[in-house]
């Protein structure tokens, strides 16, 4: 086994690898970008680097290490990084550069799958796609993964725009702007098989996604029979053998939602996956330990049994529309009694440079119903204030009848629309008023004719119309609510759901809703302006494009109109709800 390992990653990924390394008695080295020393607390030694993508700097930082563990994301699927480690005499904890190069190229990976007898999704050239009648189609990046560089196209008229957007995202995320086009299954399930070399460890269900990125994962899949499990395991193993694959990897399949026996090879991720904890819980294996043992020349075994049911929910810095958010973590309460893999603490700054993932809440139950109930309870006991997160929306999603029944598809999340508020905004405003009153230390309040007088409040919840609240004297602080103040904003949390409350300015009470404007739905960078002052635009026409946390979002005109003012320029950073464009 290795004596000293450098972890070339950050956040919950780094902490996950460091935890296992230390349990095995391995000394660890963490790296961090200058100015962000979050990980210095999590390793025996921490070394600054200019960028998590700087191969030369990371290899130099690993000069006195036996091995480098790349985590997942960043350089974990970069063959050049694996070669650089080998050239420096440092073991790369992962597959060979050759296997990574082969399977990381989605087009070549499909060729390997065909040769191994594994069914693949039909693929089209751009020329064939323009004349095809097989829409909808999916534009995908040749390199990378994680849902980036992917666009669904409903008809030929949207193909060129989708290709251009996918290329931009792929170039920004993976340094490779190549894309291809394949058949898109509107009603599909996403099921994947975990591998250690050519040993298959069973499947995970990853169908609950937004923007082709996973939100909730579970093992085993509620749709997979023992017969289909054996078939998927055999196909994944055959593919790994054909590719000469070693170490941890995942073979992903797209399946017909109504009959998962109709399935196709989608791609192979040549690294550990974010959702690996659910496989660990049902197999009893520590996959990071397995990775380290394989890389050091040891063998690993599995009895092939899957025990109980495990579910993981990704806690992201995003709102109920699943759009990225930023801020500083002012309060953080982890749920007790369950596994939480996280990379944040109180005081952590969540910016727009990295993925929106903050933490993963993972539970294990005797069966799926038990696991779903445990996960809901754990999310209800999770409090993050200062940054808008998806904890509340995740609870709403888990309560969906289709989710409870296991009738999952990759389109389910997008088709649900915005969830209903679990509490009326009036109730939230009243809770805020009671908390505010208690914090004033006003005791019983002033008296009129010997009677304790009520207090009056004008409060705005999540930018909605202000509420006039009359708070009866003696109203207690409501139980079960958490709060923290940030300047003029009171953050409130109740059973996983979070609201921002403030007292509106006088002008806001007179003009509560801005009319004739486009505002930023998320903080981010203005990537491009696609219209100019004086332009007549149609409803749904792209006016500008925002980018945040490596995700692009087209901001479109809400109705036909004439652009009167553009308040931003390309390259500007904007805040949520900032006015971008005004219409005449």
């Amino acid at each position: 086994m290795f004596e000293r390992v450098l972890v070339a990653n950050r956040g919950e990924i780094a902490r996950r690898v460091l935890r296992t390394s230390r349990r095995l008695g391995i000394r660890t080295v963490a790296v961090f970008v200058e100015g962000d020393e979050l990980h210095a607390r999590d390793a025996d030694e921490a070394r600054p680097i200019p960028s998590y993508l700087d191969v030369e700097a990371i290899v130099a930082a690993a000069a006195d290490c036996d091995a480098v563990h790349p985590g997942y994301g960043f350089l974990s699927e970069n063959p050049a990084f694996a070669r650089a480690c080998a050239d420096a005499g440092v073991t790369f904890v992962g597959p060979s550069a050759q296997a990574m190069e082969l399977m990381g190229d989605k087009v070549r990976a499909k060729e390997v799958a065909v040769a191994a007898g594994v069914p693949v999704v039909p693929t089209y050239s751009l020329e064939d796609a323009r004349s095809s009648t097989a829409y909808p189609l999916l534009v995908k990046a040749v390199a990378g993964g994680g849902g980036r560089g992917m666009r669904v196209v409903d008809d030929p008229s949207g193909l060129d725009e989708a290709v251009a957007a996918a290329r931009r995202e792929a170039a920004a995320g993976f340094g490779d702007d190549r894309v291809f086009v394949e058949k898109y299954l509107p009603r599909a399930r996403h099921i994947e098989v975990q591998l250690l070399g050519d040993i298959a460890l069973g499947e995970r269900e990853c169908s609950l996604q937004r923007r082709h990125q996973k939100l909730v994962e579970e093992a085993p899949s509620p749709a997979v029979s023992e017969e289909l499990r054996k078939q998927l395991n055999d196909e994944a193993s055959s593919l790994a053998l054909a590719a000469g694959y070693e170490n941890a990897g995942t073979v992903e399949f797209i399946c017909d939602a109504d009959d998962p026996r109709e399935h196709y090879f989608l791609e192979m991720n040549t690294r550990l996956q974010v959702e690996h904890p659910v496989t660990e819980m049902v197999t009893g294996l520590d996959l990071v330990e397995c990775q380290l043992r394989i890389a050091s020349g040891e063998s690993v075994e599995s009895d092939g049994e899957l025990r109980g049911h495990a579910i993981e929910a990704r806690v992201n810095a995003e709102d109920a529309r699943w759009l990225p958010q930023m801020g500083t973590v002012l309060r953080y309460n982890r749920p007790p009694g369950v596994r939480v893999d996280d990379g944040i603490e109180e005081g952590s700054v969540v910016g727009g440079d990295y993925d929106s993932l903050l933490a993963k809440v993972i539970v294990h139950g005797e069966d799926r119903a038990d696991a779903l109930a445990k996960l809901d309870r754990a999310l209800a006991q999770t409090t993050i204030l200062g940054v808008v997160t998806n904890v509340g929306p995740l609870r709403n999603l888990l309560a969906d009848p289709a989710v409870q029944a296991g009738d999952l598809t990759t389109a389910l999340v997008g088709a649900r629309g915005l969830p209903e508020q679990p509490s009326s905004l009036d109730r939230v405003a009243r809770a805020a008023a009671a908390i505010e009153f208690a914090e004033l230390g006003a005791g019983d309040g002033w008296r009129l004719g010997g009677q304790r007088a009520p207090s009056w409040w004008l409060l705005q919840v999540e930018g909605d119309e202000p509420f006039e609240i009359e708070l009866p004297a003696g109203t207690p602080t409501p139980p079960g609510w958490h709060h923290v103040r940030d300047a003029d904003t009171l953050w409130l949390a109740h059973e996983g759901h979070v609201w921002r409350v403030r007292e509106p300015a006088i002008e806001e009470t007179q003009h509560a809703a801005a009319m004739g404007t486009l505002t930023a739905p998320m903080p981010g960078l203005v990537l491009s302006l696609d219209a100019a002052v004086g332009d007549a635009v149609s409803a749904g026409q792209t006016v500008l494009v925002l980018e945040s946390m490596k995700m692009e979002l087209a901001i479109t005109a809400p109705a036909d109109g004439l652009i009167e003012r553009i308040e931003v320029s390309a390259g500007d950073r904007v805040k949520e709800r900032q006015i971008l464009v005004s219409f005449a």
Side-chain angles (χ1 to χ4, degrees):
M1 181 53 71
F2 303 115
E3 292 185 3
R4 191 179 184 89
V5 172
L6 180 139
V7 182
N9 220 294
R10 65 181 292 277
E12 63 91 13
I13 303 169
R15 286 181 169 179
R16 168 69 192 90
V17 178
L18 292 167
R19 186 169 66 242
T20 291
S21 298
R22 286 172 168 169
R23 180 175 61 77
L24 296 173
I26 300 172
R27 294 188 63 192
T28 53
V29 175
V31 293
F32 62 92
V33 173
E34 288 281 13
D36 176 12
E37 300 192 12
L38 173 64
H39 315 306
R41 292 185 295 273
D42 299 326
D44 304 317
E45 187 177 340
R47 299 173 184 175
I49 55 169
S51 165
Y52 291 104
L53 298 177
D54 192 324
V55 170
E56 185 177 342
I58 291 177
V59 172
D64 57 351
C65 295
D66 305 306
V68 170
H69 194 301
Y72 30 99
F74 289 137
L75 297 173
S76 62
E77 294 181 286
N78 187 323
F81 181 51
R83 288 194 178 94
C85 289
D87 291 343
V90 179
T91 300
F92 176 82
V93 181
S96 67
Q98 293 79 11
M100 192 186 301
E101 207 160 45
L102 177 63
M103 302 312 292
D105 184 312
K106 293 180 175 62
V107 174
R108 294 178 64 194
K110 286 190 174 187
E111 294 171 353
V112 175
V114 169
V118 180
V120 301
V121 181
T123 302
Y124 305 85
S125 67
L126 291 179
E127 291 71 24
D128 289 342
R130 288 190 174 92
S131 59
S132 173
T133 59
Y135 283 83
L137 297 175
L138 183 64
V139 180
K140 293 180 68 174
V142 170
R148 295 186 178 88
M150 296 174 64
R151 291 292 188 279
V152 176
V153 188
D154 293 319
D155 56 67
S157 66
L159 182 62
D160 288 341
E161 182 179 348
V163 167
R167 280 180 169 157
R168 282 198 305 271
E169 261 189 13
F174 318 121
D176 185 340
D177 70 351
R178 292 177 298 152
V179 299
F180 67 101
V181 183
E182 68 182 18
K183 177 182 178 180
Y184 178 68
L185 300 179
R187 183 168 166 77
R189 300 182 86 115
H190 186 124
I191 296 174
E192 61 189 31
V193 174
Q194 176 69 57
L195 289 169
L196 288 173
D198 62 350
I199 300 172
L201 301 178
E203 85 287 349
R204 297 187 287 256
E205 173 85 52
C206 304
S207 297
L208 292 177
Q209 308 177 1
R210 83 283 186 264
R211 298 188 305 275
H212 311 292
Q213 295 176 323
K214 302 162 188 172
L215 280 171
V216 178
E217 302 98 350
E218 56 186 299
S221 165
V224 172
S225 64
E226 288 293 337
E227 181 183 4
L228 180 55
R229 178 170 299 119
K230 183 179 185 309
Q231 183 180 355
L232 294 174
N233 281 352
D234 288 347
E235 289 176 352
S237 295
S238 297
L239 188 61
L241 282 168
Y245 196 83
E246 298 176 348
N247 217 280
T250 301
V251 175
E252 303 195 350
F253 296 93
I254 196 79
C255 307
D256 184 277
D258 300 310
D259 185 4
R261 291 175 299 179
E262 181 185 340
H263 62 273
Y264 305 95
F265 167 70
L266 192 61
E267 63 187 36
M268 183 174 188
N269 284 298
T270 57
R271 54 175 168 82
L272 199 63
Q273 295 275 87
V274 175
E275 57 272 22
H276 75 274
V278 294
T279 297
E280 293 183 320
M281 286 193 162
V282 296
T283 61
L285 296 172
D286 181 328
L287 294 183
V288 173
E289 177 181 348
C290 292
Q291 283 190 295
L292 291 166
R293 292 196 181 282
I294 291 171
S296 65
E298 299 180 31
S299 62
V300 297
E301 296 180 356
S302 169
D303 61 14
E305 293 294 321
L306 303 182
R307 301 168 182 85
H309 201 95
I311 310 181
E312 169 185 293
R314 302 191 188 196
V315 176
N316 297 323
E318 58 191 22
D319 61 15
R321 301 160 298 174
W322 315 108
L323 295 179
Q325 300 293 304
M326 302 178 196
T328 299
V329 178
L330 304 175
R331 175 161 297 176
Y332 179 30
N333 297 333
R334 297 174 178 85
V338 300
R339 175 173 171 178
V340 178
D341 288 6
D342 58 19
I344 58 168
E345 298 173 351
E346 290 184 2
S348 295
V349 177
V350 179
D353 295 330
Y354 302 111
D355 187 272
S356 61
L357 182 65
L358 303 178
K360 301 180 302 192
V361 178
I362 314 110
V363 301
H364 183 269
E366 294 181 1
D367 54 28
R368 187 170 187 268
D370 183 36
L372 280 169
K374 285 181 176 178
L375 182 56
D376 182 63
R377 287 197 297 272
L379 291 172
Q381 295 173 300
T382 301
T383 301
I384 300 176
L385 296 176
V387 182
V388 174
T389 74
N390 65 346
V391 173
L394 282 170
R395 291 197 67 204
N396 290 330
L397 177 61
L398 293 175
D400 189 292
V403 175
Q404 290 287 316
D407 184 18
L408 311 179
T409 75
T410 55
L412 191 152
V413 173
R416 294 178 72 247
L418 287 175
E420 293 185 4
Q421 286 281 353
S423 296
S424 69
L425 297 187
D426 176 77
R427 180 180 177 227
V428 175
R430 289 185 177 279
I435 289 169
E436 292 272 35
F437 186 79
E439 288 196 339
L440 287 175
D444 286 343
W446 63 283
R447 295 172 181 264
L448 182 63
Q451 299 295 318
R452 289 181 295 176
S455 58
W456 281 268
W457 304 81
L458 187 64
L459 297 174
Q460 189 177 42
V461 182
E462 289 299 312
D464 207 271
E465 295 283 347
F467 283 93
E468 291 187 6
I469 301 295
E470 179 182 340
L471 194 68
T475 300
T477 302
W481 291 73
H482 303 272
H483 70 281
V484 68
R485 175 163 293 284
D486 181 24
D488 66 344
T489 299
L490 184 71
W491 288 78
L492 284 180
H494 183 65
E495 296 185 346
H497 300 276
V498 174
W499 300 267
R500 291 165 291 184
V501 183
R502 56 189 291 271
E503 295 184 42
I506 294 177
E507 57 270 19
E508 291 175 296
T509 66
Q510 297 170 342
H511 304 286
M515 302 300 294
T517 61
L518 271 180
T519 59
M522 63 181 189
L525 176 74
V526 179
L527 198 62
S528 67
L529 293 173
D530 298 282
V533 173
D535 283 358
V537 294
S538 304
Q541 180 179 335
T542 298
V543 178
L544 56 87
V545 177
L546 287 182
E547 180 188 51
S548 182
M549 295 181 175
K550 311 302 181 185
M551 184 204 83
E552 286 187 19
L553 180 68
I555 308 299
T556 60
D560 295 350
L562 187 72
I563 294 181
E564 183 176 56
R565 291 194 313 277
I566 296 179
E567 309 288 351
V568 294
S569 302
D572 285 355
R573 290 203 171 272
V574 298
K575 299 179 180 178
E576 184 186 6
R577 299 195 183 105
Q578 180 177 331
I579 293 177
L580 305 173
V581 177
S582 299
F583 297 94

